[in-house]
Amino acid sequence: MEDNKKYNTKKCVIGTLLQCLDDAGGIRYVSEPQSPFVMDNPDVLAVADNSIFGVFIPSIHEKKNIDSFLRRIYTSRLVYARDMKTILLFDVESEGDVNKNLREAFHRVLDTSQIKEVVSVIDSDRRSKDVKMLSKRVRTHATESYYKYVNLGYTTRQYRGKFAEVHSDQWQKLPRVQSWADDRKGKTVKNGYYADGSFVFSKPKPQKMSVRESLDGIMTYSLFSQYSLDNGQLYLRKDEPQISLLNTDLLVKEEDVLWASSLAYVGVAPVSVDSLQTLNAIHEEGLKLFGIEYGKEK
């Protein structure tokens, strides 16, 4: 009952925000926008003059898992625009102070009691040049990663068979990556391994979990393994893995293209294999596609 109350509260916040935008006039907006590339999006996307604004309101899960929320914010920023201005609506009184790295991810942080001020913030900031832009290098890397992994996904479809758990005794457990929400903590993924210079995740379709929930940890870990976060900016890690594969039966239909696209954008190729030999064959295809020979650049 309490969860439903919180969920309804978020719906009410969005409803109130949309009413404020309607009353203001002159601001075009989309509620719950859907990018063709990823499942991570702002809750409301607004455009005023030539400025784009992403408004984010954390879900129940994201309030408890700030790393997941940070992933949604930065993936959205990577996809929509380098100079997208971001606004956080957060129930500070009930959730405590806003996390430092979360605050630095936004141009403006407002308590939900200040929701009517969003319009004035958009009006005053639309001509502002004080924008926390992501670097061209970071956005270029994300785009190139997307196209490479999408191509690898198409390349590996010929190998898809009945899902099978695959594992070699030579594989190591995934290394921990630094949490963006708490510098003192690390993150890893269950059933994830480091094999031959690559990451391999093994996750069958969940019985009582949505696809979004199932991919949450993998997508967060994959993004964090490619980028570090400092003072609101993303930086490429030098120790980025050469290739990343998700062995799953989640994505075997054409209509699941959004999930495959989302994984590709954070550097993961979804495949479904029936043996370790098949996975090795896909891995070799990936090395060729990325111009890598035995973990070394050509």
Side-chain angles (χ1 to χ4, degrees):
M1 184 65 70
E2 184 66 22
D3 283 353
N4 288 337
K5 181 180 179 181
K6 289 185 178 181
Y7 177 71
N8 290 334
T9 298
K10 177 174 177 175
K11 290 183 66 175
C12 289
V13 170
I14 293 176
T16 302
L17 174 60
L18 299 184
Q19 185 61 57
C20 292
L21 293 173
D22 279 336
D23 293 342
I27 300 176
R28 291 168 291 164
Y29 68 85
V30 177
S31 176
E32 297 181 321
Q34 293 296 313
S35 164
F37 296 103
V38 293
M39 61 184 179
D40 284 331
N41 296 275
D43 293 288
V44 175
L45 198 64
V47 178
D49 291 338
N50 293 322
S51 294
I52 183 170
F53 294 82
V55 183
F56 293 82
I57 306 163
S59 66
I60 299 168
H61 172 75
E62 289 169 339
K63 288 179 179 179
K64 298 176 181 177
N65 300 273
I66 299 298
D67 278 327
S68 294
F69 192 29
L70 285 166
R71 188 203 73 229
R72 177 159 74 97
I73 294 160
Y74 281 98
T75 306
S76 298
R77 290 181 64 183
L78 284 170
V79 169
Y80 280 97
R82 286 183 64 230
D83 59 350
M84 180 175 75
K85 299 179 176 71
T86 50
I87 300 172
L88 169 63
L89 277 174
F90 201 92
D91 188 354
V92 177
E93 290 183 355
S94 64
E95 299 298 331
D97 293 334
V98 179
N99 176 278
K100 174 181 176 291
N101 286 342
L102 186 58
R103 184 178 293 277
E104 290 176 346
F106 290 92
H107 294 85
R108 297 290 193 118
V109 178
L110 301 174
D111 183 82
T112 49
S113 63
Q114 301 171 294
I115 190 169
K116 293 183 180 180
E117 295 182 24
V118 171
V119 171
S120 61
V121 166
I122 291 175
D123 188 55
S124 63
D125 285 10
R126 60 183 171 181
R127 296 181 181 86
S128 172
K129 295 182 180 180
D130 182 22
V131 181
K132 301 176 182 178
M133 290 194 297
L134 297 180
S135 73
K136 289 183 179 179
R137 183 186 178 198
V138 164
R139 290 201 77 217
T140 298
H141 173 81
T143 304
E144 290 178 348
S145 174
Y146 167 78
Y147 284 109
K148 285 180 180 179
Y149 278 99
V150 163
N151 286 335
L152 179 58
Y154 284 122
T155 302
T156 57
R157 283 184 184 181
Q158 60 184 304
Y159 296 110
R160 286 184 177 174
K162 185 177 180 181
F163 174 85
E165 294 280 359
V166 293
H167 181 252
S168 168
D169 292 337
Q170 297 178 340
W171 293 0
Q172 300 175 12
K173 287 288 186 180
L174 278 182
R176 298 181 73 81
V177 296
Q178 188 175 15
S179 163
W180 286 1
D182 188 340
D183 297 339
R184 299 165 297 179
K185 295 182 179 180
K187 299 185 73 66
T188 189
V189 177
K190 185 180 179 181
N191 295 330
Y193 305 94
Y194 188 68
D196 300 324
S198 304
F199 287 173
V200 178
F201 308 100
S202 187
K203 189 176 184 65
K205 186 175 181 179
Q207 296 296 320
K208 297 181 180 181
M209 186 183 294
S210 69
V211 176
R212 179 185 293 275
E213 292 171 329
S214 175
L215 297 179
D216 182 74
I218 292 172
M219 291 185 63
T220 302
Y221 180 90
S222 299
L223 189 70
F224 289 12
S225 68
Q226 292 184 78
Y227 307 99
S228 59
L229 179 65
D230 183 44
N231 196 29
Q233 290 295 320
L234 296 185
Y235 296 92
L236 287 173
R237 293 185 183 274
K238 294 182 180 180
D239 57 349
E240 166 191 356
Q242 301 292 356
I243 191 172
S244 228
L245 301 173
L246 167 61
N247 176 33
T248 183
D249 55 355
L250 280 171
L251 307 153
V252 294
K253 298 180 294 185
E254 292 296 329
E255 55 264 36
D256 291 327
V257 66
L258 176 61
W259 309 112
S261 172
S262 297
L263 287 163
Y265 212 87
V266 295
V268 182
V271 297
S272 179
V273 304
D274 55 6
S275 67
L276 183 59
Q277 182 179 4
T278 301
L279 185 65
N280 288 336
I282 294 173
H283 183 249
E284 298 250 346
E285 286 290 333
L287 295 179
K288 293 177 184 176
L289 181 64
F290 282 74
I292 301 167
E293 185 175 5
Y294 303 114
K296 297 181 179 180
E297 294 186 4
K298 291 182 179 178

